[in-house]
Amino acid sequence: MGSQIFSGKDAALSRFRSDDLWQNGVIGAAAFSMAANPEQISILDWATLTDGGDLAVKGGYGALIARVFASVPVRLGHRVAALDWSQSGRVKVSGDWGVISARRVIVAVPPTVLASGSINFTPALPLARQQALAAFHKGQFLKVGMRLGLPTEGLAEYHADLDHLAGERREVLIADRFNPLLTLIASGDTARDLAGQAPDARKAYAVERVSALLGSNVANSIAATTSYDWASDPLAMGSYSALPPGAADARKVFAEPLSDLIHFAGDAAPTPYAVTVYGAYRSGVSVAGKIASLKRS
């Protein structure tokens, strides 16, 4: 794989499957982390990504984000429907809530949402930008959260079935370090299959996997479940921004500004930590810095 990447010739992650269970498990884990199947993942794109350590956050990751950015003014219920950058020096941003005008705008919206046309651009986005947006996968992640009647103390944080990761069923079970909670995360086709099932069927699958990985005693203590499918969320239309073979340059094209009026940021931008919240944060700070420099000049 290293020599293939060094040569600059793209290929799908699935090309490196072999008869070795561990190697296939590693490939499956990589595909799981991108919320796609191995044949859908560009190794040139995958090789640019930096994987940091994962840590559980007391109170949940959402609480961390809300705390860190508490001073940032946010208006909920203001869904943007259109961006008009036809007039020199100004951008009109509009929705059913009204219209505002700005010298510059940062769009931090998933490429899948932009590709869907739910935000209308006037003039239309350049063809190269449209093609780059269309290349991004509608990454499939589905989470089933479970509240237990037993404490999770003593449980390892991550649990996975190597045969599943190496095969066609990719899921990981995560135990909360602070609360009696488990989360089953399904990825790729496994998530897509679960998304088409009723909540009771999702619950049954999650209970079966908990029983297989942690034992029936833990599975029988599940008191309540909930589930969420990112692909069905109209404001996300998928999870991580994976790219197929041959489209490794799409992140760069996605991040190019439009006439210095409209700038783009988010987890799809080409930072080392792309496809993470931290990468989205870094891309936003970088773009804001560039805009500040333009303003000073």
Side-chain angles (χ1 to χ4, degrees), residues 79-158:
R79 184 170 178 175
V80 172
L83 290 170
D84 186 337
W85 55 294
S86 61
Q87 301 301 315
S88 177
R90 304 293 295 186
V91 181
K92 288 184 178 180
V93 184
S94 61
D96 57 11
W97 42 268
V99 181
I100 61 172
S101 177
R103 289 189 296 274
R104 292 181 177 88
V105 171
I106 299 175
V107 177
V109 173
T112 46
V113 174
L114 294 176
S116 74
S118 63
I119 298 178
N120 182 62
F121 285 79
T122 304
L125 292 172
L127 180 59
R129 180 69 57 95
Q130 294 182 41
Q131 292 172 336
L133 293 173
F136 284 93
H137 287 305
K138 189 176 182 177
Q140 199 87 17
F141 247 15
L142 188 140
K143 296 184 177 183
V144 181
M146 294 159 276
R147 181 165 55 83
L148 303 180
L150 296 174
T152 53
E153 295 176 6
L155 287 179
E157 191 170 357
Y158 295 96

Side-chain angles (χ1 to χ4, degrees), residues 142-146 182-185 202-203 206 225-228:
L142 188 140
K143 296 184 177 183
V144 181
M146 294 159 276
L182 293 174
T183 302
L184 180 76
I185 305 179
R202 295 180 187 177
K203 175 182 177 179
T225 65
T226 185
S227 60
Y228 198 82

Side-chain angles (χ1 to χ4, degrees), residues 35-37 39-40 138-144 164 167-171 184-206 209 227-232:
N37 299 325
E39 60 272 14
Q40 299 173 314
K138 189 176 182 177
Q140 199 87 17
F141 247 15
L142 188 140
K143 296 184 177 183
V144 181
H164 280 200
E168 301 300 325
R169 294 173 66 184
R170 282 175 282 277
E171 77 253 327
L184 180 76
I185 305 179
S187 174
D189 283 346
T190 307
R192 190 171 291 107
D193 291 343
L194 285 175
Q197 298 181 21
D200 285 348
R202 295 180 187 177
K203 175 182 177 179
Y205 182 82
R209 297 310 303 146
S227 60
Y228 198 82
D229 175 27
W230 288 104
S232 65

Side-chain angles (χ1 to χ4, degrees), residues 209-270:
R209 297 310 303 146
V210 171
S211 181
L213 292 168
L214 299 178
S216 58
N217 187 43
V218 177
N220 291 337
S221 77
I222 295 174
T225 65
T226 185
S227 60
Y228 198 82
D229 175 27
W230 288 104
S232 65
D233 187 328
L235 300 182
M237 300 187 72
S239 50
Y240 299 149
S241 52
L243 287 168
D249 290 337
R251 294 190 191 279
K252 181 180 178 181
V253 178
F254 162 82
E256 291 175 353
L258 297 176
S259 299
D260 280 332
L261 293 175
I262 301 178
H263 299 255
F264 295 84
D267 88 286

